[in-house]
Amino acid sequence: MGDHPARGLWVRDLVLYALLGAITFAAKIVMAPLPNIEPVSLMIMLWGAELGYRSIFPTLVYVGLEWMVWGFGLWNINYLYIWPLLAGAAWLLRGMQSPLGWAVLSGAFGLFFGALCAPVYAISGGWAYGLSWWVAGIPFDLLHCIGNFSVALILFYPMRLLMKSLFTLKN
Amino acid sequence: MKNKKVWIAIAALALAMIAMDCVLAFAQPTLQQGSKTIVVEVIHKDATTKEFTYQTDETYLGDVLIEEGLIVGEESELGLFVTQVDGELADYNVDKGWWQLSKDGVIAQTGVSDTPIADGDHFEWTYTIG
């Protein structure tokens, strides 16, 4: 087995994406005692803005860890599309420099989190069940919105700068 | 120009929050005050059933059932997570068992702590696997 630069780079990137996914999961656990504050949205947006399509890898690592720890349910299906959706939105808006703009994206994601999850419940239990499931969760969505907005407003810009400088060092 | 777009987005987000608050207020069930009689049916793991009738002034189901000692649970940020009904413990780690709350056969949309009660209501606790 010779030293193949392309294969080495591929393995290094895989390890990096796995670590990013694991860090996302670990950060969520660490911040769990703080009510309605979660770093996942912030980090998935960072991966989306800086890694493009490759953000799917750390995102799926994070989702996989959630499944392994919390078990299986309808929410597993939600997580398969919700977080990649956020990463995709972040990639589309990657040119945006305004911290307020990123805070709005994160806040909007938190606000509509329940609405994004509801279709799975509607398909499983009927539209009335899906609708009432969404309505019952609105208080949590409102708090999720405020928490996401605040965290992104403060942390997204400096963390993005840090990520850019770390990637510059790596390359 | 870019700042203007951001401020428009912030305004839209604020409006969306207000709209969802209105949806929530509109969808909240009206709470019945005064004395009510409710029936709670418990379907155990072995399919045996028991019926309990309560007369109460409480507004929410959780308050009645805790007071009467029918349910035991753990408080979480999402409300009371019921682990025991009529003395039977459900341990998901053992047999993937849990207690499902329904009203007139329809799965409850809110937790037991947030389920309002009205005179004549019929609730069911069903030991559910998986």
Side-chain angles (χ1 to χ4, degrees):
Chain A
M1 286 186 59
D3 196 23
H4 193 292
R7 188 177 298 141
L9 280 172
W10 182 72
V11 169
R12 188 173 66 179
D13 286 342
L14 274 185
V15 169
L16 172 65
Y17 301 145
L19 272 175
L20 292 179
I23 287 169
T24 306
F25 181 77
K28 181 187 173 183
I29 299 291
V30 165
M31 293 179 80
L34 301 172
N36 305 302
I37 302 286
E38 53 92 354
V40 181
S41 303
L42 169 74
M43 297 174 94
I44 299 283
M45 286 195 322
L46 276 171
W47 313 151
E50 292 301 315
L51 299 176
Y53 74 90
R54 289 165 295 172
S55 62
I56 193 69
F57 299 117
T59 303
L60 289 180
V61 166
Y62 163 70
V63 170
L65 286 168
E66 287 278 339
W67 289 5
M68 282 195 283
V69 172
W70 305 116
F72 294 97
L74 285 177
W75 64 271
N76 296 138
I77 304 171
N78 293 144
Y79 270 36
L80 270 180
Y81 64 84
I82 276 181
W83 296 114
L85 196 66
L86 177 63
W91 180 73
L92 287 173
L93 294 168
R94 62 194 182 277
M96 183 165 64
Q97 299 297 319
S98 164
L100 260 179
W102 287 105
V104 168
L105 173 64
S106 191
F109 179 76
L111 187 66
F112 293 111
F113 191 86
L116 290 169
C117 290
V120 171
Y121 295 92
I123 291 168
S124 128
W127 71 266
Y129 178 60
L131 183 65
S132 57
W133 183 91
W134 170 60
V135 170
I138 286 177
F140 299 105
D141 286 342
L142 289 167
L143 292 170
H144 198 178
C145 172
I146 295 167
N148 273 13
F149 184 94
S150 310
V151 169
L153 185 65
I154 297 167
L155 291 177
F156 184 85
Y157 189 69
M159 284 186 69
R160 194 177 185 186
L161 283 180
L162 177 64
M163 201 166 162
K164 282 184 192 290
S165 62
L166 286 172
F167 276 117
T168 305
L169 278 173
K170 164 182 166 285
N171 294 326
Chain B
M1 186 61 173
K2 284 183 183 173
N3 278 343
K4 193 179 174 185
K5 282 186 187 175
V6 170
W7 286 111
I8 290 171
I10 292 173
L13 184 65
L15 278 172
M17 288 177 75
I18 292 168
M20 283 176 73
D21 214 17
C22 292
V23 167
L24 188 64
F26 180 74
Q28 286 286 6
T30 48
L31 303 175
Q32 193 179 68
Q33 304 299 325
S35 183
K36 302 163 273 274
T37 302
I38 64 169
V39 174
V40 180
E41 186 181 352
V42 180
I43 300 115
H44 287 276
K45 186 178 176 181
D46 60 3
T48 57
T49 61
K50 273 191 200 172
E51 222 171 65
F52 301 86
T53 303
Y54 300 113
Q55 213 161 23
T56 179
D57 291 331
E58 297 288 356
T59 309
Y60 293 99
L61 183 64
D63 296 329
V64 181
L65 300 187
I66 290 170
E67 197 178 294
E68 296 290 343
L70 185 67
I71 63 172
V72 174
E74 295 157 5
E75 280 296 342
S76 71
E77 58 178 44
L78 297 175
L80 184 72
F81 179 71
V82 175
T83 53
Q84 193 172 313
V85 179
D86 189 29
E88 183 166 18
L89 181 71
D91 190 337
Y92 193 82
N93 294 324
V94 171
D95 62 353
K96 294 196 187 311
W98 56 285
W99 284 105
Q100 181 183 82
L101 174 65
S102 56
K103 182 182 169 186
D104 296 322
V106 178
I107 298 170
Q109 303 309 307
T110 50
V112 66
S113 308
D114 299 317
T115 300
I117 53 177
D119 189 39
D121 278 349
H122 185 281
F123 296 95
E124 306 89 27
W125 281 106
T126 309
Y127 193 101
T128 306
I129 306 281

